[in-house]
Amino acid sequence: MKRITLLFLSLLLVGCQSSPHADSQNEISSNQENAANNETSEETEASSEENIEEADSAKSDGTRSAWTDYSAYAELDEEGYGYYIHDDPDVSSEIFPLHTTNSEDVLLFTFDDAPQMPEAYSLEIAKTLKEKDVNAIFLVNGMYLEETEGRDMIREVYDMGFEIGNHTQTHANLRELTYDQQYEEISQTSQMVEEITGEKPRWFRPPFGLFNMDTILICNELGMQLMTWSFGYDWMDEYLDGDALAEVSVNNEYLRGGANILMHDRSWTSDALARMIDGYREKGYHIVDPLIIKSQENSTAPMQ
Ligand SMILES: [Zn+2]
């Protein structure tokens, strides 16, 4: 736990100093939240449908189109993308607009350790998200997909429209493994995800946020962008409770546009989720549909 806390803090400290988004937390948009605003004009609906169709036909990697209403915060390019994730996970894995017209007040929701068997909450979490029209990435551990129950749950989550990412086979500390062992940990899970969904995962998150150059090279070979996170509280002793978690998640000093929010497949997270979404929307944030985030090759510049 200590190592996680240290890494988490160092990520935050470095991220705060260097990110171009440093000021955006004070610029809360006055736009009304898109999902709360059902009075979308016919024109907007038509153009957003067009965008969706374009995205369908343009993406050659088989990735599906966004399903949330992103028209209030993003315009997509001809490939169907509106955002990208900063490619140095040691500094930040924040979300940035690909186009100047797109809102910077976006947050990304990610759920690790899915579907944590035997008592998994991924499906419950997915249902709450869907009710609130929020898409997210579920990062899975292959060890939970060995039994039918876990596979069925992830297939259902995928079929609901959510994106599935890779969080290794056994939740290993990758820094303690050789290249070959890491390859096994990572490729096995990608393969399982592809067998279940028919799609290769685009996103990889190393357990405990710990990785090295081998991890980067393997992710590039398997076509995944490695991401860490901006903040998350649902694994800390004081926040293993829905009320406390909802409160700190919405009111903390690290909340700002572009934040990549780490959550887990846990009962208290599921409990806090609806309140978190409402709280973020009240503050003017949009929760970005990951399907409009363009993944990219990881930088292999020497690590510090
Ligand atoms: Zn994890």
Side-chain angles (χ1 to χ4, degrees):
M1 221 23 139
K2 279 222 175 77
R3 298 182 75 161
I4 305 176
T5 312
L6 282 175
L7 176 91
F8 170 70
L9 288 175
S10 69
L11 275 173
L12 287 171
L13 290 172
V14 181
C16 289
Q17 284 159 4
S18 62
S19 168
H21 271 209
D23 294 324
S24 62
Q25 60 185 333
N26 298 322
E27 296 166 11
I28 291 172
S29 159
S30 59
N31 289 342
Q32 289 301 306
E33 178 49 49
N34 58 317
N37 180 6
N38 293 324
E39 295 166 352
T40 318
S41 75
E42 276 176 30
E43 210 176 273
T44 316
E45 268 172 23
S47 80
S48 103
E49 270 166 32
E50 255 171 47
N51 282 342
I52 289 169
E53 275 168 30
E54 275 174 24
D56 263 339
S57 56
K59 286 190 190 181
S60 54
D61 61 1
T63 309
R64 293 161 306 153
S65 306
W67 52 262
T68 62
D69 178 11
Y70 55 79
S71 60
Y73 66 90
E75 263 183 68
L76 308 190
D77 61 17
E78 63 285 351
E79 289 183 286
Y81 296 113
Y83 292 86
Y84 68 97
I85 293 185
H86 186 66
D87 75 349
D88 186 347
D90 265 346
V91 176
S92 140
S93 285
E94 292 190 8
I95 319 311
F96 295 93
L98 274 172
H99 320 293
T100 51
T101 46
N102 292 357
S103 172
E104 291 190 0
D105 291 325
V106 293
L107 307 172
L108 174 64
F109 274 18
T110 63
F111 296 87
D112 284 10
D113 304 359
Q116 198 183 48
M117 290 297 165
E119 233 193 304
Y121 289 88
S122 288
L123 189 57
E124 198 175 304
I125 287 169
K127 284 179 180 165
T128 304
L129 292 168
K130 195 84 184 185
E131 272 166 28
K132 295 278 190 186
D133 195 23
V134 172
N135 203 345
I137 306 173
F138 287 78
L139 296 119
V140 300
N141 293 114
M143 63 182 171
Y144 300 131
L145 304 175
E146 277 160 10
E147 307 291 330
T148 319
E149 200 185 347
R151 280 199 298 274
D152 286 351
M153 186 177 285
I154 285 307
R155 185 177 294 113
E156 196 169 342
V157 169
Y158 172 82
D159 285 344
M160 288 168 78
F162 294 97
E163 187 151 14
I164 310 297
N166 181 333
H167 192 45
T168 74
Q169 192 69 15
T170 69
H171 209 274
N173 175 354
L174 296 174
R175 284 203 190 151
E176 293 175 349
L177 303 185
T178 64
Y179 178 95
D180 288 346
Q181 288 168 330
Q182 283 200 46
Y183 193 90
E184 185 72 8
E185 270 287 335
I186 299 170
S187 64
Q188 232 183 325
T189 298
S190 278
Q191 222 170 355
M192 287 173 114
V193 170
E194 195 178 359
E195 277 165 24
I196 292 168
T197 67
E199 249 186 272
K200 285 189 171 76
R202 297 191 294 149
W203 308 108
F204 177 75
R205 180 176 277 145
F208 319 108
L210 298 174
F211 60 97
N212 59 22
M213 185 52 82
D214 287 345
T215 325
I216 300 265
L217 295 172
I218 292 165
C219 283
N220 280 347
E221 192 181 326
L222 298 175
M224 288 184 289
Q225 182 172 354
L226 189 154
M227 64 160 90
T228 50
W229 61 88
S230 306
F231 70 83
Y233 291 92
D234 70 351
W235 44 274
M236 294 177 176
D237 289 346
E238 27 325 12
Y239 304 115
L240 309 182
D241 164 81
D243 295 339
L245 180 61
E247 171 63 26
V248 73
S249 299
V250 176
N251 299 298
N252 70 72
E253 61 185 303
Y254 308 112
L255 175 62
R256 61 179 180 184
N260 182 334
I261 303 178
L262 168 67
M263 288 169 271
H264 293 83
D265 178 315
R266 303 284 191 274
S267 62
W268 49 89
T269 307
S270 181
D271 184 31
L273 198 53
R275 281 174 284 170
M276 286 173 64
I277 295 165
D278 292 345
Y280 292 140
R281 285 178 167 164
E282 270 164 31
K283 290 186 175 221
Y285 291 106
H286 304 282
I287 300 157
V288 68
D289 191 323
L291 297 176
I292 65 169
I293 302 176
K294 185 180 184 131
S295 56
Q296 53 185 330
E297 199 171 3
N298 303 285
S299 165
T300 52
M303 290 161 77
Q304 291 163 358

